[in-house]
């Protein structure tokens, strides 16, 4: 499974671990919120809909960050943009710990989201252009497994902090620890090199026909890819957000699990997510990008329906948590390779940043809809409806995209 790692250069390995560390620390910061929703609701007396709005606003901001910072990566370079965005989201995660009320918190979370979205866009293009063609799918799928590492770290931190501190203090301590990703800058500056020189003005003009960088992805030759890629992003992020934002609250309030028991259930899903990313990384270079995403999206729909609509015992839910996490991992693990291969070099950062993060704009409504539906129906029903619908969108949209396996990223023509 990891034989490819021995075949790549030291520079490729440095880049892999820089992106792996970045995404793990991203996950640590981002997943904190879903774990502390009950504490924040209790402290400020907000509704579930308002709590869902925080997640929604963060997703919208991250979409803008991905699009804008993706364009910055095309103009100023992947590595420089990566460093700036890591610092940005780390600082605003820390500042979130000091929010005094709901309006302050939502603004700080939005700024954190902007940095997070930008970091993914810059890192994804950096990885795609650094790793050789025959191993791109395996490397990018494997690096996505870092999300499970950071998610697991967030759950462990949650269990430790909330076991020894009151909820009103515990959630603030967790966000304060979110400054840690800033330390990654030291590693990046020392070891990671720019894979492609930032496009000159002449090159940009030649490659994009004098297009405005942010709007170059809407040119006729790539417009179809942009629209369908954005739709795929909507489904992928919508399903993931509906599940991960509200699942800890569902386990605690409707399944009546303790902090430690909730952590145990999440641990199964997180471990499965890790292995799901590794499985997808192998399938991407064997059966292709389209078939891999289609397989995981169909399995996601089926698993979500069983997990949230079929009456299950706590033990059965624990067991089913593994396929739930496993199949949910395959889609995000596959999108980085696919999106990078849809665009020519001059607009790649912008295109990847938009497609992956545009989904966050529309998907921002999914956690809010869950909170709204939960006011009339059960929280489990609300999560299940939203997540199943979102993953069905993924299955439909990926069938409209071309297979891009094996594409050389030095090409300057769109597929």
């Amino acid at each position: 499974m990891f034989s490819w790692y021995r075949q790549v250069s030291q520079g490729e390995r440095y880049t892999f671990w820089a992106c792996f560390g970045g995404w793990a620390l991203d996950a640590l910061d981002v997943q904190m919120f879903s774990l502390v929703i009950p504490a924040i609701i209790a402290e400020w007396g907000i509704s579930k809909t308002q709590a869902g709005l925080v997640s929604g606003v963060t997703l919208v901001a991250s979409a803008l960050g991905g699009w804008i910072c993706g364009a910055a990566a095309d103009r100023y370079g992947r590595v420089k943009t990566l460093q700036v965005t890591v610092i940005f989201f780390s600082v605003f995660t820390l500042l979130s710990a000091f929010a005094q009320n709901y309006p302050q918190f939502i603004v700080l979370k939005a700024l954190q989201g902007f940095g997070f979205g930008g970091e993914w866009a810059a890192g994804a293009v950096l990885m795609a252009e650094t790793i050789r063609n025959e191993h791109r799918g395996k490397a990018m799928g494997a690096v996505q497994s870092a999300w499970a590492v950071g998610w697991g770290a967030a759950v462990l931190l949650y269990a430790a902090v909330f076991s020894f501190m009151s909820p009103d203090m515990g959630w603030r301590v967790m966000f304060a620890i979110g400054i840690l990703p800033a330390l990654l800058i030291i590693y990046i500056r020392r070891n990671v090199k720019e894979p492609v020189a930032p496009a000159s003005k002449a090159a940009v003009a030649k490659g994009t026909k004098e297009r405005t960088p942010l709007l170059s992805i809407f040119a006729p030759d790539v417009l179809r890819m942009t629209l369908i890629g954005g739709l795929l992003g909507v489904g992928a992020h919508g399903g993931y957000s509906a599940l991960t934002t509200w699942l800890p609250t569902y386990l605690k309030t409707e399944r009546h699990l303790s902090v430690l028991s909730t952590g145990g259930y999440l641990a199964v899903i997180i471990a499965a997510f890790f292995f799901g990313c590794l499985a997808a990384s192998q399938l991407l270079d064997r059966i292709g990008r389209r078939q891999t995403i289609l397989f995981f999206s169909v399995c996601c729909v089926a698993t979500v329906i069983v997990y949230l609509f079929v009456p299950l015992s706590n033990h059965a839910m624990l067991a089913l948590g593994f396929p739930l996490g496993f199949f949910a991992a395959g889609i995000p693990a596959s999108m980085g390779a696919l999106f990078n291969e849809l665009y020519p070099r001059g607009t790649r950062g912008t295109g990847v940043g938009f497609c992956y993060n545009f989904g966050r704009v529309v998907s921002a409504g999914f956690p809010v809809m869950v909170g709204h539906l939960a006011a009339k129906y059960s929280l489990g029903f609300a999560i299940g409806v939203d997540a199943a619908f979102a993953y069905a969108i993924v299955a439909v949209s990926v069938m409209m995209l071309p297979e891009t396996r094996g594409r050389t990223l030095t090409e300057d023509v769109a597929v």
Side-chain angles (χ1 to χ4, degrees):
M1 180 175 290
F2 298 105
S3 60
W4 66 269
Y5 185 79
R6 295 190 294 272
Q7 299 174 28
V8 299
S9 67
Q10 187 178 58
E12 289 172 290
R13 294 175 186 175
Y14 282 150
T15 300
F16 174 85
W17 288 114
C19 293
F20 189 97
W23 281 323
L25 292 168
D26 281 352
L28 174 67
D29 286 2
V30 173
Q31 293 300 140
M32 286 179 185
F33 176 67
S34 65
L35 295 166
V36 301
I37 285 177
I40 291 176
I41 287 177
E43 178 161 348
W44 290 326
I46 61 176
S47 66
K48 289 180 179 178
T49 300
Q50 287 176 303
L53 183 61
V54 175
S55 181
V57 169
T58 303
L59 291 173
V60 171
S62 70
L64 294 175
W67 186 15
I68 293 171
C69 294
D74 281 334
R75 183 171 292 273
Y76 303 110
R78 294 24 171 152
V79 176
K80 183 180 294 184
T81 305
L82 179 65
Q83 293 178 66
V84 171
T85 52
V86 169
I87 286 289
F88 194 92
F89 82 75
S90 300
V91 168
F92 282 103
T93 302
L94 170 65
L95 293 177
S96 297
F98 300 97
Q100 298 301 302
N101 51 51
Y102 176 73
Q104 287 181 15
F105 185 71
I106 202 170
V107 169
L108 292 169
K109 282 287 292 171
L111 291 169
Q112 178 210 40
F114 184 92
F116 166 66
E119 191 272 346
W120 191 93
V125 180
L126 173 64
M127 272 285 295
E129 293 180 343
T130 300
I131 302 295
R132 59 197 68 185
N133 297 335
E134 62 268 28
H135 298 314
R136 187 181 303 124
K138 291 185 283 291
M140 297 199 72
V143 83
Q144 193 71 35
S145 68
W147 188 266
V149 175
W151 189 3
V155 172
L156 291 175
L157 182 64
Y158 164 73
V161 170
F162 276 69
S163 294
F164 295 99
M165 294 184 179
S166 60
D168 60 329
M169 179 60 69
W171 74 265
R172 294 182 184 275
V173 170
M174 289 184 66
F175 277 103
I177 295 173
I179 192 63
L180 288 176
L183 298 176
L184 184 65
I185 295 299
I186 300 172
Y187 179 86
I188 294 174
R189 289 181 64 86
R190 288 182 177 178
N191 299 296
V192 181
K193 307 299 181 183
E194 185 69 29
V196 181
S200 65
K201 292 182 179 180
V204 171
K206 180 180 179 181
T208 61
K209 302 178 182 178
E210 305 288 353
R211 304 167 190 161
T212 302
L214 282 175
L215 302 180
S216 61
I217 56 173
F218 299 109
D221 56 333
V222 292
L223 178 60
R224 181 173 179 273
M225 303 303 165
T226 299
L227 295 178
I228 300 174
L231 183 63
L232 193 157
V234 169
H237 288 299
Y240 181 83
S241 298
L243 281 173
T244 60
T245 299
W246 286 107
L247 195 57
T249 303
Y250 166 74
L251 293 173
K252 184 175 182 179
T253 60
E254 292 197 3
R255 304 296 300 196
H256 306 294
L257 301 177
S258 66
V259 169
L260 291 177
S261 295
T262 298
Y265 276 68
L266 291 177
V268 172
I269 295 174
I270 293 167
F273 190 95
F274 178 82
F275 288 110
C277 287
L278 296 183
S281 72
Q282 296 297 308
L283 291 175
L284 284 168
D285 287 331
R286 293 188 180 184
I287 67 173
R289 284 44 166 158
R290 291 180 70 221
Q291 295 301 318
T292 299
I293 295 176
L294 182 61
F295 168 73
F296 279 100
S297 61
V298 170
C299 290
C300 275
V301 173
T303 309
V304 164
I305 290 174
V306 175
Y307 191 84
L308 291 165
F309 291 142
V310 176
L312 299 172
S313 67
N314 286 346
H315 291 299
M317 287 195 71
L318 181 63
L320 194 60
F322 191 88
L324 181 69
F326 184 90
F327 294 126
I331 301 170
S334 305
M335 290 194 297
L338 174 65
F339 289 157
N340 271 284
E341 293 162 351
L342 289 176
Y343 289 93
R345 185 170 59 193
T347 58
R348 182 166 298 125
T350 311
V352 171
F354 179 85
C355 286
Y356 187 86
N357 289 287
F358 170 75
R360 295 177 184 275
V361 174
V362 181
S363 72
F366 282 77
V368 179
M369 287 190 293
V370 170
H372 180 71
L373 281 175
K376 298 181 179 180
Y377 306 97
S378 70
L379 182 57
F381 176 85
I383 296 172
V385 168
D386 274 23
F389 176 69
Y391 287 128
I393 292 176
V394 175
V396 172
S397 59
V398 76
M399 289 189 289
M400 295 187 286
L401 289 173
E403 178 55 58
T404 59
R405 178 178 51 169
R407 186 187 177 204
T408 300
L409 294 190
T410 54
E411 296 170 5
D412 284 323
V413 293
V415 293

